[in-house]
Amino acid sequence: MPATQSLMTTRRGEFRALYRALQRDRRAFEATPVIFCEGDSWFSTPLAMNLLDWLVWPAPADEARGVPLFGAGGLFFRTEDSGDLALDMFAPRRIRDLAEWYEGFAFDLVLVSAGGNDFVDGFLQRLFRSLRPMSATAAFQRVLDSGRYGQVRAAYRGFVERFRVIRPRTPILAHSYDYPLRMGQPAKLTLGNLGAAALLKQGAGPWIGNRVAHVLPDIAQQRRFAQLMTDGFVEHVLMPLRDDPASGRVFDFVDLRGTLRRESHWFDEMHPSGAGFALLADRFRRQMQQKLEVKLGG
């Protein structure tokens, strides 16, 4: 077994081949967590080591010392994509596709990153079109009144319940987002962070500040609004799912709020830098290890 945190970062075909090979070594199979990953750009952005990258791969210092994250390593099935909305990711057709893979392999843990994109960009543009300046609290009330949190919660619930039917005891671990600081800052795409693809793209974002600047012209107001939306996602989506007697049997989340307190921890308006994601991964990792105690033998 390799002295790294994962056997490989795998998509569908590669995952199937590695899983079958791992099964042929019973001791290795029993010692290796098999982890299903679905998510948005916090799991998939190529602009830096993202949150999932830090969980899959070892930090250089750990690798040099031969310290893997999960004992003998982990096998990660990765199906995440940047820009995905939870409403699309957990639509019935998508859930059926994901469930076929989930049913076909003995997964020990499910990691989910979803919901942030549902409350920005086009959603904000439509919600605040032609409106006059208002307070951050009033702006957030419009988000509440839109019913968006209920829609996202229902989408999550459909995913959790389908997966719970397949594996009633396998944990599903999601996460909150952190409070954005670099309001209005787009992603700067360069050859250094995106490679040759940067030559074909004009940039990405921003997704919040430019959509609400006409109603929240002050940066401090925009930050407060973003904070309220981030808290709202926890209070109206993640906590109700965790605390529900049905979905709470398997569903939990890592609260990442308040981790990234410096602008340098952020790459752009919505995405942490590689160093920022590393800080978030430290918190995420602890709950992953708790969920995998049975597999790891305590």
Side-chain angles (χ1 to χ4, degrees):
M1 295 295 292
T4 60
Q5 291 175 0
S6 73
L7 292 174
M8 188 176 288
T9 300
T10 56
R11 292 286 175 163
R12 298 178 183 230
E14 297 92 341
F15 172 82
R16 182 190 289 111
L18 278 171
Y19 184 91
R20 299 307 183 203
L22 189 63
Q23 277 187 311
R24 293 193 286 271
D25 186 332
R26 181 175 178 180
R27 288 186 60 187
F29 184 75
E30 291 178 350
T32 302
V34 183
I35 301 173
F36 189 107
C37 308
E38 169 66 314
D40 55 22
S41 57
W42 276 39
F43 273 11
S44 67
T45 178
L47 301 176
M49 284 280 288
N50 60 59
L51 178 57
L52 189 52
D53 288 339
W54 281 111
L55 298 172
V56 169
W57 304 107
D62 287 341
E63 187 168 35
R65 293 185 297 124
V67 181
L69 176 54
F70 295 127
L75 179 58
F76 291 75
F77 173 71
R78 298 185 65 164
T79 185
E80 67 283 346
D81 276 308
S82 296
D84 271 3
L85 276 66
L87 294 180
D88 296 331
M89 195 183 306
F90 302 143
R93 178 184 58 82
R94 292 279 297 273
I95 291 176
R96 286 195 297 271
D97 177 57
L98 294 173
E100 288 182 6
W101 282 88
Y102 190 57
E103 201 164 20
F105 305 90
F107 288 101
D108 301 296
L109 178 65
V110 178
L111 303 183
V112 178
S113 176
N117 292 323
D118 296 77
F119 295 91
V120 300
D121 206 18
F123 168 74
L124 294 179
Q125 186 175 30
R126 294 187 296 271
L127 191 64
F128 293 102
R129 181 178 288 124
S130 302
L131 296 182
R132 295 183 176 182
M134 63 184 72
S135 68
T137 301
F140 176 63
Q141 187 61 50
R142 286 191 62 81
V143 176
L144 285 175
D145 294 342
S146 74
R148 191 68 157 188
Y149 286 116
Q151 295 169 1
V152 172
R153 183 174 64 249
Y156 254 94
R157 189 181 301 280
F159 168 77
V160 171
E161 285 302 296
R162 181 70 183 95
F163 271 43
R164 187 173 71 87
V165 168
I166 296 171
R167 300 192 181 284
R169 298 179 61 186
T170 298
I172 300 173
L173 188 62
H175 67 81
S176 78
Y177 296 90
D178 206 350
Y179 303 130
L181 296 179
R182 303 185 69 181
M183 306 309 301
Q185 175 66 56
K188 296 179 180 179
L189 308 182
T190 69
L191 290 173
N193 60 37
L194 194 60
L199 300 175
L200 304 176
K201 297 180 69 68
Q202 299 300 312
W207 304 266
I208 304 172
N210 62 328
R211 302 306 192 188
V212 300
H214 62 293
V215 293
L216 300 170
D218 186 76
I219 294 296
Q221 289 179 302
Q222 295 174 19
R223 284 185 175 182
R224 176 59 180 157
F225 173 66
Q227 182 180 36
L228 289 170
M229 285 207 301
T230 302
D231 289 340
F233 179 66
V234 172
E235 294 164 8
H236 298 285
V237 177
L238 299 180
M239 289 179 63
L241 290 168
R242 181 197 64 189
D243 297 340
D244 185 276
S247 55
R249 296 179 191 176
V250 297
F251 181 83
D252 200 357
F253 70 94
V254 184
D255 193 342
L256 300 176
R257 293 174 295 174
T259 305
L260 308 181
R261 300 177 181 272
R262 303 175 184 173
E263 288 196 31
S264 62
H265 291 153
W266 292 87
F267 180 78
D268 56 37
E269 187 179 54
M270 283 185 61
H271 304 96
S273 63
F277 273 128
L279 292 174
L280 298 173
D282 284 342
R283 297 182 66 167
F284 205 107
R285 186 178 294 115
R286 289 193 290 271
Q287 283 190 237
M288 285 180 67
Q289 291 170 322
Q290 292 172 10
K291 300 297 182 185
L292 287 167
E293 279 183 354
V294 174
K295 179 74 174 187
L296 299 175

